[in-house]
Amino acid sequence: MADRQSATGATVASKNRKTCLKIENDIREAVCHENHLPGAGWSCCGGQAFHPEEATCCKDGYTKDTAVTEGLSEKVSACCGLKAYDQLNFMCCNSTIIAKPAPNAKCCDNDAYDVDKQMCCGPIKNKTVLTRNSSYHRCCGRDQFDSKTERCCSMNESLKIQPITSSFCRNESAVCGTKTYNTFTELCCQSTVVSKLASNAKCCAENAYDVDKQMCCGPMENKTVLTRNSSDHRCCGSDQFDSKTERCCFMNDSLKIQPITSGCCVKESAVCGTNAYNTFTELCCQSTVVSKPASNAKCCAENAYDVDKQMCCGPMENKTILMRNSSDHRCCGRDQFDSKTECCCFINDSLKIQPITSSCCGNESGVQQQKPTPQPNCTEPNTGLCGSACYNPSSFRCCEKNQGKSQCRFPGQCDDASTVYNPHTHVCWDGFVSEWKSWIEQFHVSPGQHCCGTEVYQPRTEICCDGHRHAKKENTHCCGGKAYNIKDPQMKCCAGTLHNLTLLRRSGHDVQCCGSILQTPHNVCCSSEDKEVLYSAKRGFGCCGHLYYNVSLWSCCAGKLSPVPKVGQHQSVMIKESRLLSVNNLNETDLCDEMQIGTVESVSQDSIMFSNVLKIHGRNATVKPLASPHILETPDRCSSPKLIPGNSYFFDEVKVFTDFNHNSILQSLYFILSKCYRP
């Protein structure tokens, strides 16, 4: 009875988990459709929100489909179709993910093989994995031959193995990647050796095809071999057409085969990044191929828009496509205004749409009114182009983003067109034009104020975190753009992302960071000098820097992976882990106790030499210099992390740490002393 109740409870729990996951996914899709994200660090994959540090977005460049693979960071993943995989321990063969049989494994159709011990032989459609007889053996059809004593010959339209002294064929060799191949019977296609199907065979991506009987068609990333219907047939996308009676046309954003008498378009192509595209139906926007919504479409960041019906507005880094209200409408920040009845003005440090009768619409303010989107041709003498306006540089200046000398930033307050201003009456602050005042006047009105992003703040009563101001309270520190009490054990800062552990129902004593996310007991965090990557825990795997490796394939020493020893050599099944630990993950007792910090001078097999060593005691708030050099013994060097000479690290008598949360040693010391010291 108890077992039945337990099973029922487990079933209910499983259903609840599935329901929660469905609700979570529905929420993620909803927020992505509304162009909002759950929090910092999140991205959109099609219509689904995901965090790149714990999931991967895969896209099909041909169908435009997308899918999210949870539990695998984009830092170490690759895509196999719409599924992500760990490319250190797995491989993708014909859209199927397979575990690597060896560190240098390759694909043989749908299977994987060890290139040191095996061979992939046979025609394209029916390859076979053979055990390699020796390092001198090569493929001859579905068989192998010893290249020292034999050669592979084409006899009676089939491949035959003959003595090397045979006069029936010539054996010519070349190099493909790292392999030698027979140019008479094989081809080198994308660093892969493939068998020739005919004497005039050519490459189609990683495959070979007979140019007399077959065709290589399709987009660059998804080529297909077709049986040629006739010598007059040509490619039309992934299909073929008879060039005597048909033509290939772009219709409704796709390739269609039409009668030759059809009045459809002529196909023209160009290169966008590494992809070919049709200039008649597509645009290249920031190295991304997008479909034209109209014949006169233009780019708006990574998207295309119809210039007759739409507008591209907003700052350079966050442009938005708007439906144009009329031909007289112009951009005003992320909005639009009617240039016949309105104007766009700077009021209280932001762009506002005002009636054209407003005083701010005149040129006497020193700020030139926004001009229409088309750029003029500045042909007058002594004129220059500023955004969409012509001006005389001897009397006026052009205010552009990132040109002002002020530390104050005003993102989002300037349209994409730069602004002309009078330097005698106005000043340019990183794309923002304001009335000129002397230094005394600027701060006489608000003494003690400083800039915090787009706002001003009082450093004595407020704290500025990444351009966001907050009220200053006891023990207040920044975590990204947020402020928190550094001594609150339920607040955890992970690489600029603040986590409230009370809301997450987690205890502050056992929670650790992995990059900007929180690690769970079921996950493993692998870390190197510049990366922290979260993985799902697996038996027989270990950390080597930020990589999570399969011990049956690799061995790790001091952050460096090497293939496991071959058969006949000494092999160890022990998991040698080597990762750089984080100061941020130390519990308060260890963090606030005695530790050292120093600069790595050199590393040997059994020790690390540090210089400029300081002894820190966080609880006592003391920092003392120690005699240099300081030698840290490392009996098991392979278990120590990879260290870079010249960089500084924290260490105790056993382990070495780094600080992923802070950019300088001074920031790290301030964090430790602030968190630990209790007067």
Side-chain angles (χ1 to χ4, degrees):
M1 183 68 179
D3 291 342
R4 184 178 299 175
Q5 289 178 343
S6 176
T8 303
T11 303
V12 171
S14 176
K15 288 182 178 179
N16 288 341
R17 280 194 297 272
K18 290 179 180 178
T19 302
C20 288
L21 285 173
K22 183 180 185 303
I23 293 172
E24 182 180 353
N25 286 333
D26 290 344
I27 293 173
R28 289 185 181 184
E29 291 179 8
V31 295
C32 267
H33 286 311
E34 295 174 6
N35 294 322
H36 296 290
L37 292 167
W42 287 73
S43 298
C44 262
C45 181
Q48 184 176 354
F50 77 106
H51 200 301
E53 289 205 27
E54 53 184 336
T56 298
C57 174
C58 291
K59 302 177 182 179
D60 188 316
Y62 194 63
T63 65
K64 307 301 182 185
D65 291 336
T66 60
V68 173
T69 301
E70 299 285 354
L72 184 59
S73 169
E74 283 195 344
K75 293 178 180 177
V76 293
S77 65
C79 289
C80 184
L82 293 176
K83 184 72 175 176
Y85 67 99
D86 166 19
Q87 54 188 336
L88 177 66
N89 304 295
F90 295 86
M91 55 197 302
C92 177
C93 296
N94 283 352
S95 300
T96 301
I97 298 173
I98 305 171
K100 281 187 178 180
N104 57 346
K106 288 188 177 181
C107 293
C108 185
D109 283 345
N110 296 327
D111 299 318
Y113 73 103
D114 181 352
V115 296
D116 291 331
K117 302 175 182 177
Q118 298 172 308
M119 304 172 68
C120 178
C121 300
I124 292 175
K125 302 290 186 182
N126 190 18
K127 288 192 174 294
T128 305
V129 176
L130 305 176
T131 300
R132 184 186 294 275
N133 292 337
S134 79
S135 60
Y136 300 107
H137 275 71
R138 303 289 183 264
C139 289
C140 186
R142 291 189 179 89
D143 206 349
Q144 57 181 304
F145 69 100
D146 187 339
S147 59
K148 279 190 168 185
T149 60
E150 299 171 313
R151 58 171 52 181
C152 181
C153 304
S154 178
M155 300 173 62
N156 300 324
E157 297 185 355
S158 63
L159 292 171
K160 302 288 185 181
I161 299 173
Q162 296 290 306
I164 200 168
T165 55
S166 172
S167 60
F168 287 103
C169 66
R170 289 174 56 236
N171 179 25
E172 298 181 0
S173 63
V175 176
C176 181
T178 59
K179 300 295 181 183
T180 300
Y181 73 105
N182 185 339
T183 59
F184 188 80
T185 61
E186 298 170 315
L187 280 175
C188 178
C189 298
Q190 295 184 354
S191 299
T192 301
V193 178
V194 293
S195 298
K196 282 186 177 180
L197 301 177
S199 58
N200 61 345
K202 290 186 178 180
C203 292
C204 182
E206 291 186 349
N207 302 311
Y209 72 104
D210 182 348
V211 294
D212 290 333
K213 300 177 181 178
Q214 297 173 309
M215 304 172 67
C216 179
C217 300
M220 194 162 295
E221 64 275 5
N222 190 19
K223 296 260 181 213
T224 305
V225 176
L226 304 177
T227 300
R228 184 187 293 274
N229 292 337
S230 78
S231 60
D232 298 311
H233 275 72
R234 303 290 181 267
C235 290
C236 184
S238 298
D239 206 349
Q240 58 180 304
F241 70 101
D242 188 338
S243 59
K244 282 190 172 181
T245 60
E246 299 169 315
R247 65 184 347 185
C248 180
C249 305
F250 276 95
M251 301 173 64
N252 299 324
D253 295 334
S254 62
L255 288 168
K256 303 288 185 183
I257 297 174
Q258 297 290 304
I260 200 168
T261 55
S262 171
C264 69
C265 66
V266 177
K267 181 177 181 291
E268 296 180 4
S269 63
V271 176
C272 180
T274 58
N275 297 318
Y277 73 104
N278 183 340
T279 58
F280 192 82
T281 60
E282 297 172 313
L283 280 176
C284 178
C285 298
Q286 295 185 355
S287 300
T288 301
V289 178
V290 293
S291 297
K292 282 187 178 181
S295 59
N296 61 343
K298 290 186 178 180
C299 292
C300 183
E302 290 186 346
N303 302 308
Y305 72 105
D306 182 349
V307 295
D308 291 333
K309 300 177 181 179
Q310 298 172 307
M311 304 173 67
C312 178
C313 299
M316 193 78 63
E317 65 274 7
N318 189 18
K319 289 198 172 291
T320 304
I321 296 175
L322 306 176
M323 292 302 299
R324 184 187 293 276
N325 292 337
S326 79
S327 60
D328 299 312
H329 275 72
R330 304 289 182 265
C331 290
C332 184
R334 293 187 179 88
D335 207 347
Q336 57 180 303
F337 69 101
D338 188 338
S339 60
K340 282 189 172 182
T341 60
E342 299 169 314
C343 71
C344 181
C345 304
F346 277 107
I347 300 177
N348 297 328
D349 295 341
S350 63
L351 286 168
K352 303 287 186 183
I353 297 173
Q354 297 291 304
I356 201 167
T357 55
S358 171
S359 61
C360 80
C361 292
N363 287 335
E364 67 274 13
S365 65
V367 180
Q368 184 161 322
Q369 189 175 334
Q370 289 188 332
K371 294 291 189 287
T373 300
Q375 291 187 341
N377 185 13
C378 302
T379 57
E380 294 295 324
N382 300 320
T383 59
L385 181 64
C386 180
S388 58
C390 296
Y391 75 107
N392 187 341
S394 63
S395 304
F396 295 89
R397 298 286 186 273
C398 183
C399 184
E400 300 174 290
K401 290 189 68 61
N402 299 322
Q403 296 298 314
K405 296 180 180 179
S406 170
Q407 293 299 315
C408 302
R409 301 296 180 194
F410 298 88
Q413 294 188 350
C414 292
D415 192 28
D416 60 335
S418 301
T419 307
V420 176
Y421 71 101
N422 186 339
H424 298 291
T425 60
H426 290 73
V427 292
C428 172
W429 301 71
D430 193 17
F432 169 72
V433 176
S434 63
E435 186 178 352
W436 184 89
K437 293 180 182 179
S438 68
W439 184 88
I440 296 296
E441 288 179 303
Q442 293 281 2
F443 291 95
H444 178 71
V445 179
S446 53
Q449 287 190 337
H450 290 256
C451 285
C452 180
T454 60
E455 303 176 305
V456 291
Y457 81 112
Q458 292 281 359
R460 290 183 176 84
T461 59
E462 296 173 310
I463 184 171
C464 180
C465 297
D466 228 3
H468 301 272
R469 62 179 184 178
H470 304 273
K472 183 182 287 186
K473 300 177 183 178
E474 187 179 7
N475 303 317
T476 303
H477 280 245
C478 291
C479 181
K482 297 183 179 180
Y484 74 110
N485 183 349
I486 196 174
K487 294 184 183 292
D488 186 348
Q490 291 303 107
M491 301 301 293
K492 188 77 170 179
C493 181
C494 297
T497 299
L498 187 62
H499 299 274
N500 189 328
L501 304 182
T502 302
L503 297 178
L504 298 174
R505 298 180 181 179
R506 301 277 297 275
S507 169
H509 299 290
D510 63 350
V511 174
Q512 295 194 338
C513 299
C514 187
S516 63
I517 55 181
L518 294 176
Q519 184 179 345
T520 67
H522 305 293
N523 292 331
V524 173
C525 184
C526 298
S527 51
S528 61
E529 182 77 18
D530 58 348
K531 288 181 183 177
E532 291 181 282
V533 183
L534 196 69
Y535 298 88
S536 298
K538 295 180 181 179
R539 182 176 298 176
F541 280 66
C543 288
C544 190
H546 66 272
L547 300 174
Y548 197 45
Y549 72 101
N550 185 338
V551 296
S552 66
L553 295 177
W554 310 95
S555 62
C556 176
C557 184
K560 182 180 179 181
L561 284 173
S562 303
V564 293
K566 297 179 181 179
V567 176
Q569 295 177 300
H570 175 70
Q571 297 189 57
S572 174
V573 296
M574 291 181 60
I575 299 178
K576 290 281 187 180
E577 291 209 305
S578 169
R579 52 181 150 184
L580 196 52
L581 302 176
S582 174
V583 170
N584 195 40
N585 285 333
L586 289 172
N587 60 45
E588 189 169 332
T589 301
D590 293 333
L591 179 70
C592 299
D593 205 352
E594 186 177 286
M595 70 169 67
Q596 289 83 39
I597 182 171
T599 304
V600 172
E601 286 294 317
S602 63
V603 178
S604 71
Q605 290 295 325
D606 56 5
S607 65
I608 305 168
M609 183 172 69
F610 290 93
S611 63
N612 307 316
V613 179
L614 298 174
K615 182 169 71 173
I616 310 160
H617 201 298
R619 192 169 291 107
N620 298 338
T622 58
V623 179
K624 297 180 180 179
L626 297 181
S628 292
H630 183 94
I631 306 299
L632 177 65
E633 303 293 336
T634 54
D636 185 3
R637 180 71 189 102
C638 281
S639 295
S640 298
K642 177 184 176 182
L643 303 177
I644 299 177
N647 286 6
S648 297
Y649 302 89
F650 293 90
F651 61 96
D652 54 24
E653 295 307 316
V654 180
K655 298 176 181 176
V656 180
F657 306 87
T658 191
D659 188 351
F660 292 106
N661 266 13
H662 301 101
N663 297 322
S664 69
I665 296 302
L666 184 60
Q667 290 177 343
S668 301
L669 290 175
Y670 187 73
F671 166 79
I672 294 172
L673 298 179
S674 300
K675 187 173 181 65
C676 298
Y677 181 59
R678 287 179 171 82

